[in-house]
Amino acid sequence: MSKFTNSTLLVTGASGKLGRLAVEELLTRGATRVIAGTRDPSKLQDLAAKGAEIRKLDFDDASTLPTALAGVERLLIVSTDAVGRRAAQQQAIVDAAKAAGVKHIVYTSAPAARPDADAGLNPEHFWTEVAIAASGLDFTILRNHMYAENIFMEAAQVLGSGQIFGLIGDRGTSYVTRADTARTAAGALLSAEGKTIEDVTGPAPITNVERAALLSQLSGKKIDVVGLTPAQLQQGMVAAGLPEGFAAALVAFQRDAVTGYHGVVTDVVERYSGRKPTAYADFLTASKATLGL
C-alpha cells in the first residue's frame, strides 16, 4: 500500500485523456478517496460507478474551486489546453489549493520549462511552476516529455509523402506514452513527498532518422528525413495549413530536440508507476491499426 492511499486525492481535468487515465489508475491501485474534477460531471458517471467522487471544477469559474477543493489533501493539476490563458487559470487553482489547506500539488509540466520568449508553450508551464513553488506547499513537478501519440497528427502526411520534415541536427526525443505519464502522475499523488521537479521520459531518445526507419519497417514504404532550418520548417507548416502560432510552438519543440533538452532519460516512470516505460518501437507496433497500417 502506498503512503497516501487513504488520503483525499483530487485530479483536475478528469474528463480529459490523461486525467481520466490517472483517476482509473488511482482506483486500480487501491486509493480509497479519489475525487475526479471536471467542468461537466455528466461525462464521468462511469468513474462514479467505479468509486470516484465527481465534483464540478472549472478553471474559468473561480466560484467552483473552493467547493471542489474542500477537504482535499493532495492535488493533481493536469495542465489545461487553454494556450495563452492557462498560466492565469493554473495560478487561480494554486491559490485556491493553498486557501483550502491542500498539502501537496502534483503538476504535469513540460521539458525544459523556462520563461524564454522563443520557448514555444513552455513559458506558461514555467510560470505555473513558479506559482506552485511560491505557494509554500510541497510539490512534485512532472515534466512530461513529448507524447508518443503525437505521431497520429502527422502519420497520414508522413506515410503519404514518404517524408519526415525535421530540423537539421536533431538529437532525439524521449517519447513517452500518455498512459505512462498518467500512471506516473497517479503514483506521485500516492507516494511523492517534499519538493521535486522530475522529467517523465520514455526509455531512450529517438531521432527523426530512427523514426523514419521504424515507420519504413512497419509500413513497407521508404520513409526519408528532410532536414530543414527552423524558418523553413515553420514556413512549410503554415503552408500546410497550420496556424502561425501553433507552427511556431511545434518548431520550438524541435529546436529543443536539437539543443538536447528532449533527449533526457530518467527512471521516473518506473519509480512512480512500478513498470518500465513503453519503448517507442513497441508503441508504434501496437498502434498499427490507428496509423492505418
Side-chain angles (χ1 to χ4, degrees):
M1 181 183 289
S2 299
K3 183 164 187 177
F4 299 105
T5 300
N6 296 318
S7 297
T8 303
L9 315 173
L10 170 63
V11 177
T12 74
S15 56
K17 292 175 182 175
L18 193 154
R20 174 177 282 275
L21 288 169
V23 170
E24 290 174 344
E25 179 72 4
L26 289 168
L27 294 170
T28 298
R29 290 175 66 168
T32 59
R33 289 188 282 174
V34 179
I35 302 168
T38 177
R39 284 176 298 186
D40 186 356
S42 67
K43 291 182 176 179
L44 297 183
Q45 293 315 300
D46 60 317
L47 292 182
K50 293 178 182 178
E53 179 186 346
I54 314 302
R55 291 185 185 177
K56 182 175 176 62
L57 190 161
D58 186 342
F59 282 80
D60 290 322
D61 183 354
S63 69
T64 68
L65 301 183
T67 306
L69 290 163
V72 171
E73 297 166 85
R74 296 170 66 83
L75 168 67
L76 167 58
I77 301 175
V78 178
S79 55
T80 78
D81 58 4
V83 175
R85 292 191 295 115
R86 61 182 165 192
Q89 287 180 327
Q90 292 166 177
Q91 174 77 61
I93 194 166
V94 170
D95 292 343
K98 183 174 183 178
V102 170
K103 296 181 175 64
H104 194 108
I105 292 176
V106 178
Y107 173 64
T108 61
S109 189
R114 59 199 191 278
D116 306 36
D118 65 350
L121 304 179
N122 279 343
E124 289 187 300
H125 287 295
F126 173 81
W127 292 116
T128 300
E129 291 186 6
V130 169
I132 291 169
S135 73
L137 304 179
D138 280 352
F139 60 81
T140 308
I141 306 293
L142 296 174
R143 290 179 167 176
N144 290 345
H145 279 239
M146 188 76 78
Y147 290 133
E149 285 84 354
N150 287 353
I151 183 63
F152 300 145
M153 291 192 292
E154 62 176 339
Q157 182 272 322
V158 169
L159 294 169
S161 67
Q163 295 177 316
I164 288 178
F165 295 95
L167 294 186
I168 298 162
D170 163 54
R171 291 163 63 184
T173 297
S174 298
Y175 293 99
V176 62
T177 67
R178 186 177 281 107
D180 279 338
T181 65
R183 286 190 284 259
T184 299
L189 204 58
L190 286 167
S191 64
E193 296 183 89
K195 295 176 169 68
T196 59
I197 297 178
E198 313 211 58
D199 284 79
V200 182
T201 78
I206 305 293
T207 64
N208 284 328
V209 170
E210 290 168 324
R211 287 205 305 140
L214 288 168
L215 288 168
S216 295
Q217 188 179 347
L218 278 177
S219 66
K221 302 175 183 176
K222 188 173 187 298
I223 310 291
D224 295 312
V225 175
V226 180
L228 301 172
T229 66
Q232 289 171 330
L233 183 59
Q234 182 161 339
Q235 209 169 28
M237 287 179 174
V238 172
L242 288 182
E244 189 90 35
F246 186 48
L250 292 176
V251 172
F253 269 116
Q254 291 214 31
R255 278 202 311 271
D256 278 3
V258 171
T259 305
Y261 287 137
H262 287 229
V264 174
V265 173
T266 71
D267 69 346
V268 173
V269 169
E270 185 171 7
R271 182 150 38 88
Y272 284 127
S273 74
R275 62 184 89 182
K276 291 185 182 298
T278 303
Y280 192 66
D282 293 338
F283 170 79
L284 290 180
T285 300
S287 303
K288 284 182 71 172
T290 309
L291 291 167
L293 301 176

